[in-house]
Amino acid sequence: MILGNQIETTVSELGTTHVIWLPDTTLGQWEEALERSVSFDLLRVCREGEAWPLAAGLFLGGKSPLVMMQSTGLFESGDALRNVLFDLKLPLFALIGYRSYLVEDSADTAKKFVEPILDAWGIGYELINGCDDLPKLVDHYRACQVAGKPGVGLIAEGAM
Amino acid sequence: MTLASALQVLADVRGEQVVVTTMSAAREWMSQSDHPLDFHYVPSTMGGGFSLGLGIALARPDHEVLVLNGDGCLLMNLGSLVTVAVSKSPNFTGIVIDNGNFETTGGQKLATADSPIQLADFARAARFESVCEFDSLPAWKDGVAAALAQPGPRCIILKVTTVPGDHALKPPGPMPARITAFQTALNRS
């Protein structure tokens, strides 16, 4: 389990200026730590489709935004993601809550489709299964930045 | 009031604001303005204009940001009104081109077309600092300066009539080059 202060420290280390989020049960436990951060601003959106163009605008304005949402939000915001990452070609990074990943034999379709969809988009991802994996997240983020490509950190979660 | 005439009024008073355009407004604005701080969000994710403009406004509080968005776009992303209003960004102005139809796809009616729903009511309910509506060219000419001088975030609804013709969208060139040019202009200003 990743604690709020651990993710806040990691996200700060990435040079993030704004976290744009729509939380779920797991990510939501980070709210207090993210809101308290002096390194970045926490921006709340009403639906995940807003998050990508909002991040795009921040990036155009010279900032370093990071998007956080659950896998269901990834599905919901597919067109916005497509436009921002592939039409505008912006190297944005997202942390996506991988709902039900930790539930063996889960029939949750939100689990079933995450990796195939990221593969279909051609977005590189790393599975982050606990705080010991946070260095992997940092490495993946930096590799994406160097390559000028978007990327995703998949945060392993239990059931909804 | 046609879209072309409405935007000409805006072009006449435009200073050094960033202007983000989408859909029909982008097509028309391209023929009226060639300013380095114009960003034609074409192709866009429909409904993403206010969100992208808010991002620029938050990133660059030293710049006024005007977003020209269609009514169909706004209806697809009504939550963006809340996100903008809650941000309290004083440098954000959302201008909604209200023609009651999806112009770029051939003029099909919006869900609101035969209803008494007014888009301005949504903006007021979201608690925009100022909300103005204009349904005639003389009123818009008389009121544009005052509307843009109101506290932000501002929402301006322009009720326009649709003119028959080819309304297809044509991207104004490769996106990466346009982004580089826009960022360069933003950093110089």
Side-chain angles (χ1 to χ4, degrees), chain A residues 46 50 53-54 57 59-60 79 83, chain B residues 41 43-45 51-52 77 79 83:
Chain A
C46 299
E50 287 179 62
L54 178 53
F59 184 90
L60 293 180
D79 184 67
N83 170 249
Chain B
Y41 185 20
S44 66
T45 180
S51 304
L52 185 130
N77 193 2
T83 307

Side-chain angles (χ1 to χ4, degrees), chain B residues 45-65:
Chain B
T45 180
M46 195 167 168
F50 272 25
S51 304
L52 185 130
L54 175 61
I56 298 172
L58 290 171
R60 297 301 302 263
D62 53 330
H63 281 70
E64 285 290 326
V65 178

Side-chain angles (χ1 to χ4, degrees), chain B residues 138-157:
Chain B
W140 174 225
K141 281 181 177 173
D142 287 347
V144 61
L148 292 174
Q150 293 292 310
R154 308 165 199 90
C155 186
I156 299 172
I157 312 290

Side-chain angles (χ1 to χ4, degrees), chain A residues 48-49 51-53 56 69 73-90 92 117-118 120-123 150, chain B residues 23 41-48 76 175:
Chain A
E48 292 87 347
W52 300 101
M69 60 179 63
L74 175 75
F75 306 144
E76 189 280 334
S77 63
D79 184 67
L81 176 157
R82 174 202 60 76
N83 170 249
V84 166
L85 302 190
F86 298 102
D87 290 340
L88 275 62
K89 299 181 171 42
L90 301 184
L92 300 179
I117 281 178
L118 288 173
W121 289 120
I123 299 173
Chain B
M23 309 298 279
Y41 185 20
V42 180
S44 66
T45 180
M46 195 167 168
M76 277 199 173
M175 183 61 89

Side-chain angles (χ1 to χ4, degrees), chain A:
Chain A
M1 180 182 173
I2 302 171
L3 301 175
N5 65 323
Q6 293 170 321
I7 202 73
E8 191 279 330
T9 300
T10 301
V11 170
S12 298
E13 193 183 327
L14 302 178
T16 301
T17 58
H18 297 78
V19 169
I20 303 158
W21 89 329
L22 212 164
D24 65 1
T25 310
T26 300
L27 308 183
Q29 295 177 48
W30 302 342
E31 183 171 43
E32 192 181 333
L34 297 178
E35 191 154 42
R36 213 175 40 227
S37 179
V38 294
S39 300
F40 53 80
D41 291 331
L42 182 65
L43 302 178
R44 296 176 173 87
V45 290
C46 299
R47 198 157 172 88
E48 292 87 347
E50 287 179 62
W52 300 101
L54 178 53
L58 287 160
F59 184 90
L60 293 180
K63 301 300 182 183
S64 297
L66 185 140
V67 171
M68 279 191 201
M69 60 179 63
Q70 196 189 49
S71 52
T72 50
L74 175 75
F75 306 144
E76 189 280 334
S77 63
D79 184 67
L81 176 157
R82 174 202 60 76
N83 170 249
V84 166
L85 302 190
F86 298 102
D87 290 340
L88 275 62
K89 299 181 171 42
L90 301 184
L92 300 179
F93 199 90
L95 295 185
I96 305 292
Y98 196 163
R99 192 175 86 184
S100 300
Y101 175 83
L102 299 171
V103 182
E104 202 173 338
D105 300 325
S106 170
D108 186 354
T109 55
K111 175 181 180 181
K112 178 180 179 181
F113 291 115
V114 173
E115 293 190 52
I117 281 178
L118 288 173
D119 288 336
W121 289 120
I123 299 173
Y125 55 87
E126 278 286 345
L127 178 68
I128 309 301
N129 192 358
C131 59
D132 289 346
D133 282 346
L134 287 175
K136 269 184 12 185
L137 174 65
V138 173
D139 290 346
H140 180 45
Y141 177 90
R142 291 195 171 135
C144 289
Q145 295 295 294
V146 168
K149 291 182 175 175
V152 162
L154 283 177
I155 307 296
E157 295 183 348
M160 70 181 89

Side-chain angles (χ1 to χ4, degrees), chain B residues 106-140:
Chain B
Q108 302 86 356
K109 287 181 181 180
L110 300 186
T112 52
D114 297 321
S115 82
I117 292 170
Q118 297 296 313
L119 297 177
D121 291 341
F122 290 125
R124 290 191 187 99
R127 300 288 192 266
F128 268 63
E129 285 296 317
S130 65
V131 180
C132 302
E133 292 174 274
F134 298 95
D135 58 5
S136 75
L137 193 59
W140 174 225

